[in-house]
Amino acid sequence: MTDVLIIGGGIIGLSTAIALSQKGASVTVVERDICGQGATWAAAGMLAPEAERLEGSLLGFGIRSRDMYPQWIANLMRLSGLDCGYWCCGMIAPSIEEGDHQIIAKYPQYISQEESHKRQSGLGEVVLGSLWLPEDGQVNNRKLTQALLTAARSLSIKILEGVNVYQVVCDHQRDHQRVTHLDTSVGKLQSDRYVLATGAWTRSLLPLPVKPIKGQMLSVFDRDRHLQRVIYAPSCYIVPRQDGTIVIGATVEDKGFEQGITAVGIAQLLNRAIAIYPAIANMPITETWWGFRPYAPNEIPILGASDYENLVLATGHYRNGILFAPITAKLISDFIIDGITDPIFQ
């Protein structure tokens, strides 16, 4: 037995486990594969609520989480002793089509074509102007994963990798419904409370409206390290790491769990990226990969109470799992431990 059993060992599951543990709960994380090897590993690590042009309560949710990042990262570094590659480098969101240019020119963050080139030299001629977003930035999601795992282990959180959860078994009473245990590849697992943080694979356990959206990505190496801003264009994003790696993404493919890299996917990304930042044309390709984003309706995460009184939902973060991790962990742990429901917490 454990106080809380979290199904899913991606960034949402691990972040929530740490937050719960630091509030005094005993926590177990069960992961079907290797922790952090799903959408967390495949991401670019952008912290971009403004560049994404999120709207309404979702924008507020994203900004709140982005603003939590410095303290959140400091806590992880203290627990793990590891660097997370957090870099508040600022972000340029360029327009490359006249129609979009007319729209963004009305934003207070708008800067002209000339000013855009001053903020980041080497931009392509297709850039007509941009939004300058100094508060948006990035974290190295793969370094972050290692820090989360190390921090979790330092807190004696039990992590079970390579364990398949076959079924969430429930007791259906007239006046209440509860999860009694999980049927898994290592037998029954029981807990007082459960958190479902299974990302794109959510529907294998519960009939929730979450589906996989595939994204292909690649990286190149910038020996000169001239690119110092994240570039978030309508057709692709270009994310420079401090070690010279540049991450380029991402396709958006509604093809279920279809695996693999395609020539057309990588060609589209490269053509778009080179148009926006031409120096990429002469940089060596260092890696290609793909992942599955957990899409929920209107791109709004599914958070909070479920139909079962001891099962809490934390899934459907789509393209913003890295960004939303700190606030999700806080909301879920506040809800479970203190019974606090945030107004944003649906």
Side-chain angles (χ1 to χ4, degrees), residues 87 89-94 111-125 127 129-133 138 222 224-232 238-241 246 273 275-280 283:
W87 186 15
C89 56
M91 194 168 297
I92 289 174
I111 58 174
S112 67
Q113 185 179 52
E114 181 182 5
E115 182 64 23
S116 299
H117 284 264
K118 287 181 181 177
R119 293 285 181 185
Q120 175 58 60
S121 62
L123 296 176
E125 294 179 0
V127 175
S130 62
L131 299 180
W132 166 238
L133 306 166
Q138 62 164 296
D222 177 13
D224 299 322
R225 293 166 172 70
H226 286 156
L227 185 61
Q228 293 290 303
R229 314 292 190 191
V230 175
I231 303 175
Y232 191 103
I238 304 167
V239 184
R241 302 287 196 228
I246 295 179
I276 294 162
Y277 191 71
I280 287 171
M283 295 179 188

Side-chain angles (χ1 to χ4, degrees), residues 48-93:
E50 294 183 270
E52 287 262 13
R53 299 193 208 174
L54 301 180
E55 297 180 344
S57 61
L58 199 60
L59 174 60
F61 190 75
I63 289 174
R64 281 177 61 187
S65 199
R66 181 194 67 191
D67 292 349
M68 291 172 66
Y69 246 87
Q71 186 174 349
W72 188 68
I73 290 291
N75 180 53
L76 286 178
M77 290 178 68
R78 179 180 60 80
L79 290 170
S80 69
L82 298 176
D83 173 45
C84 301
Y86 173 62
W87 186 15
C88 191
C89 56
M91 194 168 297
I92 289 174

